[in-house]
Amino acid sequence: IDECTAGTHNCRADQVCINLRGSFTCQCLPGYQKRGEQCVDIDECTIPPYCHQRCVNTPGSFYCQCSPGFQLAANNYTCVDINECDASNQCAQQCYNILGSFICQCNQGYELSSDRINCEDIDECRTSSYLCQYQCVNEPGKFSCMCPQGYQVVRSRTCQDINECETTNECREDEMCWNYHGGFRCYPRNPCQEPYVLTSENRCVCPVSNAVCRELPQSIVYKYMSIRSDRSVPSDIFQIQATTIYANTINTFRIKSGNENGEFYLRQTSPVSAMLVLVKSLSGPREYIVDLEMLTVSSIGTFRTSSVLRLTI
């Protein structure tokens, strides 16, 4: 007799009737076990190792879960790492996948913002005042150095004077080009004015045969130099020296003109030479024309002459 089909069994509603020869038995549904006459749920999560990471028990069954950054494999048990850099890259610049997560990094010249995803430009010009010799210009992800007019950037950070006299300048044929810090000047190749005549480069002589020359300096020599406005003071800047030495004579030196504000001082260093000293700070750009005079007198008073060095600073 099949008690299960005849309905003469006494199995509970949550049980399954199985016919036996001469009898029957009551079994629990899969995922349940008998406890006395009742069927109770089996907690599969207490019987490892069902799940790789997390197990969630359900009535009569269970399922597996993965930690954030992982996903279930096709077998529904194993967890595999999610490559966030391929799936949903949130990084603004560089993404690096790590086990269960990811990290963002920034390109050179940028730094991670507080959200650890976006990148913010680093203002290198604010980090140090020694990056550039003259002026630092911040740019996205980098910086560049600028130089004042008349200078060019060398080795990315320092400034070098452009020698316009070797490149392009506007000086005429009868002019000489003279380079200085940050620019250039055009000066006449023959600076001599009547009654002076040119005897050599930059040297003008007043002929003895001309009566007018008796009251004028015998010679005027033109020299040019440049100094920086931040030069410390006092500072020796130029030496003047006699080119012709006469016997039994005494030489004295003075600043004849160009020192109305007292920026310079002439210190005699030997019987035939003197040193021009900068005693006041200069502000530029500015041009100074200083006449340095050497007066030569014979020891017995029969001979007297002078020569001028016209220094353009």
Side-chain angles (χ1 to χ4, degrees), residues 59-80:
S61 185
F62 73 98
Y63 63 90
C64 297
Q65 280 187 341
C66 295
S67 303
F70 294 87
Q71 62 185 1
L72 273 175
N75 59 16
N76 289 327
Y77 296 102
T78 309
C79 292
V80 293

Side-chain angles (χ1 to χ4, degrees), residues 272-313:
V272 294
S273 64
M275 179 66 69
L276 183 65
V277 182
L278 178 67
V279 293
K280 286 185 180 180
S281 295
L282 304 180
S283 60
R286 181 178 169 183
E287 187 177 75
Y288 293 82
I289 299 177
V290 184
D291 278 0
L292 309 176
E293 184 180 46
M294 183 183 73
L295 184 64
T296 303
V297 181
S298 68
S299 55
I300 57 176
T302 58
F303 177 74
R304 175 188 176 97
T305 184
S306 70
S307 58
V308 169
L309 188 144
R310 183 158 294 168
L311 179 63
T312 300
I313 303 172

Side-chain angles (χ1 to χ4, degrees), residues 5-6 50 66 89 99 105 111 142-143 152 160 173 193-195 214 221 235 246 253 275 297 307:
T5 56
Y50 277 121
C66 295
N89 184 7
L99 196 62
Q105 287 190 356
E111 60 185 355
K142 60 180 181 176
F143 72 95
Q152 60 187 352
Q160 184 183 68
E173 284 293 324
Q193 297 179 357
E194 288 288 341
R214 295 174 186 175
V221 177
S235 179
Y246 300 98
F253 298 86
M275 179 66 69
V297 181
S307 58

Side-chain angles (χ1 to χ4, degrees), residues 239-245 253 270 272-274 294 309:
Q239 179 172 285
I240 179 174
Q241 186 166 347
T243 55
T244 305
I245 301 174
F253 298 86
S270 77
V272 294
S273 64
M294 183 183 73
L309 188 144

Side-chain angles (χ1 to χ4, degrees), residues 255-264 286 288-291:
I255 301 178
K256 187 175 182 181
S257 63
N259 193 32
E260 289 73 20
N261 296 322
E263 296 96 342
F264 308 98
R286 181 178 169 183
Y288 293 82
I289 299 177
V290 184
D291 278 0

